[in-house]
Amino acid sequence: MTETAKQINLFDLNRDDLVAWFASIGEPRFRAEQLMKWIYHEGVTDFDVMTNLSKSLRAKLTELASCSVPKTLSHQSSTDGTKKWLVELETGNCIETVFIPEEDRGTLCISSQVGCILDCSFCATGKQGFNRNLTTAEIVSQVWIAHHALGGGKSGERRLTNIVFMGMGEPLYNFKNVMKAIDVLLDDLGFGLSKRRVTLSTSGVVPNLYDMAEQKDVALAVSLHAPNDPLRDVLVPLNQRYPIADLMEACRYYLQKQGARFRVTWEYVMIDDVNDSPELARELGRLLKSIPSKINLIPFNPFPGSNYQTSSKDKIDLFRDILIREFGIMTVTRKTRGDDIAAACGQLAGQVQDKVNRTIYNVAS
Ligand code: SAH
Ligand code: SF4
């Protein structure tokens, strides 16, 4: 079905929006619920197949609405089981979505923007530039595509158990659409994921972190990468605007809102001779000791054009051991997955067309 200007894409709506929209066309609440079951549980986007809706309602929906999912251009599988989908958006840009199966879980890494407005010095997405925010429908569609490609749990076994906003883009800079997409991920009539299994990863957009604390209680990952401002200013330029002390305060607030049981996952990319010394491990330990934390050490994934090297295994092991033994902070080294299909952290570049000049956001000023 081709979408006309008047049609609304129902993937853009969370349950409340959908109920309101059905009310606006004179339909009761349970119609919205039936529709969500078709879309998210059954994987059906064709109104004609939704047989528990009357013929006249189906005709009305066909006229006024669509359930439009972007086209999957390609689908690759890595030797380690990782899968990557290249999804073409209507504007001709492409985004990538990655599924990482592990023994006890299946994690989908989704994108929130086409490219990224920020320019972290070690990130391929950042180097691609920025085009635009994804719509709620485009965010939700990534999950829909993967969920149903993976069997949609119909066999009784759920392969997609966790979602992480760790693909392209800074999710807190696409706040409204990401929050709405999270509603659908958590909704029983949507993907029904538990809050602990949805993780938003941010480079530290402090004001928006406070806003999220008021609205959502999904798991929080923060891309720290350095324990002090001079080094973080270089690796994560956003730090020049929101320094570490402010970021820590916002994280504490977020945890406090969530309740005592939760902790922040700190991501720390290990770059040879840049941020991987034992002294920096100790500085990191001192910084994080006082806040409930888990640290993920991510070996730097090289990409064409980057001058950084990955830290050696010995250096990563020493860094990890210092954090565990001297500070008692749970620290794990993340396995590199899917690097043969360029699906590892920071290798997602998609295809960003019509880049917007970053200075309009001027994040460092
Ligand atoms: N913009 C958000 C989420 C997307 S990036 C953020 O920065 O948190 C997801 C994770 O991949 C971040 O922790 C990021 O620092 C990490 N990453 C980016 N480039 C990388 C690279 N080349 N090697 C390893 N990890 C990288
Ligand atoms: Fe953007 Fe995250 Fe990459 Fe930084 S690490 S450029 S915030 S996607």
Side-chain angles (χ1 to χ4, degrees):
M1 179 178 58
T2 51
E3 199 177 327
T4 67
K6 275 190 196 150
Q7 284 183 320
I8 182 165
N9 187 353
L10 300 182
F11 276 108
D12 266 321
L13 309 183
N14 62 14
R15 195 197 300 208
D16 288 348
D17 294 340
L18 212 50
V19 168
W21 184 78
F22 270 89
S24 78
I25 60 165
E27 295 290 335
R29 176 181 193 95
F30 77 92
R31 292 292 181 209
E33 296 170 353
Q34 282 177 317
L35 188 108
M36 285 187 83
K37 280 189 195 156
W38 278 113
I39 307 181
Y40 298 111
H41 294 184
E42 302 298 326
V44 168
T45 54
D46 180 350
F47 297 126
D48 286 335
V49 179
M50 303 181 182
T51 43
N52 58 355
L53 307 182
S54 69
K55 244 187 166 172
S56 63
L57 175 56
R58 279 186 266 155
K60 198 148 71 167
L61 288 175
T62 307
E63 186 199 337
L64 300 174
S66 72
C67 299
S68 304
V69 175
K71 198 161 117 201
T72 304
L73 277 189
S74 68
H75 172 211
Q76 286 174 278
S77 291
S78 158
T79 46
D80 67 11
T82 301
K83 292 181 193 301
K84 180 169 91 169
W85 292 266
L86 184 66
V87 174
E88 185 184 37
L89 307 176
E90 271 184 7
T91 45
N93 286 294
C94 289
I95 48 163
E96 293 173 321
T97 306
V98 177
F99 177 70
I100 306 151
E102 288 168 282
E103 252 170 44
D104 56 341
R105 67 175 93 171
T107 303
L108 190 73
C109 177
I110 61 175
S111 298
S112 56
Q113 298 183 310
V114 182
C116 186
I117 198 73
L118 303 174
D119 191 14
C120 301
S121 61
F122 51 84
C123 175
T125 301
K127 300 293 158 227
Q128 286 276 302
F130 174 75
N131 173 271
R132 66 173 174 85
N133 283 332
L134 296 185
T135 62
T136 298
E138 288 164 339
I139 300 169
V140 169
S141 292
Q142 296 169 63
V143 184
W144 189 92
I145 289 169
H147 182 62
H148 296 294
L150 293 166
K154 278 182 187 145
S155 58
E157 168 207 9
R158 176 157 209 158
R159 295 185 63 197
L160 203 169
T161 59
N162 292 54
I163 306 273
V164 293
F165 281 88
M166 291 187 189
M168 292 167 74
E170 169 47 59
L172 289 186
Y173 270 142
N174 183 12
F175 192 80
K176 210 170 87 285
N177 294 347
V178 166
M179 294 303 123
K180 217 159 249 205
I182 289 175
D183 290 339
V184 177
L185 302 185
L186 302 181
D187 195 322
D188 286 347
L189 294 179
F191 296 102
L193 290 151
S194 88
K195 288 172 183 171
R196 299 286 87 211
R197 290 177 176 272
V198 174
T199 302
L200 184 137
S201 173
T202 179
S203 54
V205 189
V206 165
N208 301 11
L209 205 46
Y210 281 105
D211 288 345
M212 185 168 79
E214 304 303 333
Q215 301 184 23
K216 297 276 175 292
D217 54 359
V218 293
L220 176 65
V222 175
S223 296
L224 193 60
H225 310 309
N228 61 58
D229 286 326
L231 182 55
R232 193 164 192 266
D233 284 349
V234 175
L235 297 178
V236 185
L238 184 67
N239 195 71
Q240 295 166 36
R241 181 177 271 194
Y242 305 119
I244 291 176
D246 296 356
L247 178 57
M248 301 290 293
E249 209 173 304
C251 291
R252 280 205 176 85
Y253 183 78
Y254 190 82
L255 287 188
Q256 181 200 321
K257 280 271 164 184
Q258 284 189 313
R261 285 178 300 131
F262 304 124
R263 58 187 167 197
V264 177
T265 299
W266 305 95
E267 291 158 284
Y268 196 102
V269 58
M270 297 295 288
I271 310 172
D272 191 38
D273 282 343
V274 171
N275 65 351
D276 61 351
S277 69
E279 294 72 34
L280 288 172
R282 293 194 177 95
E283 199 177 343
L284 184 65
R286 286 192 295 273
L287 178 73
L288 300 183
K289 214 172 45 180
S290 60
I291 174 165
S293 298
K294 177 189 167 192
I295 300 172
N296 269 348
L297 301 178
I298 314 169
F300 168 68
N301 285 312
F303 55 89
S306 97
N307 295 325
Y308 291 137
Q309 312 291 323
T310 311
S311 307
S312 68
K313 185 176 178 310
D314 285 352
K315 274 192 181 172
I316 299 178
D317 287 352
L318 178 61
F319 200 92
R320 184 197 58 210
D321 290 348
I322 290 172
L323 289 162
I324 296 174
R325 293 203 190 122
E326 297 181 22
F327 297 91
I329 303 176
M330 181 180 173
T331 306
V332 295
T333 306
R334 193 185 287 165
K335 266 194 264 158
T336 298
R337 299 288 303 263
D339 53 347
D340 57 335
I341 56 168
C345 286
Q347 289 183 323
L348 299 187
Q351 283 168 27
V352 182
Q353 294 171 2
D354 304 327
K355 288 162 210 173
V356 172
N357 189 338
R358 278 204 171 96
T359 53
I360 62 161
Y361 280 70
N362 206 4
V363 293
S365 65

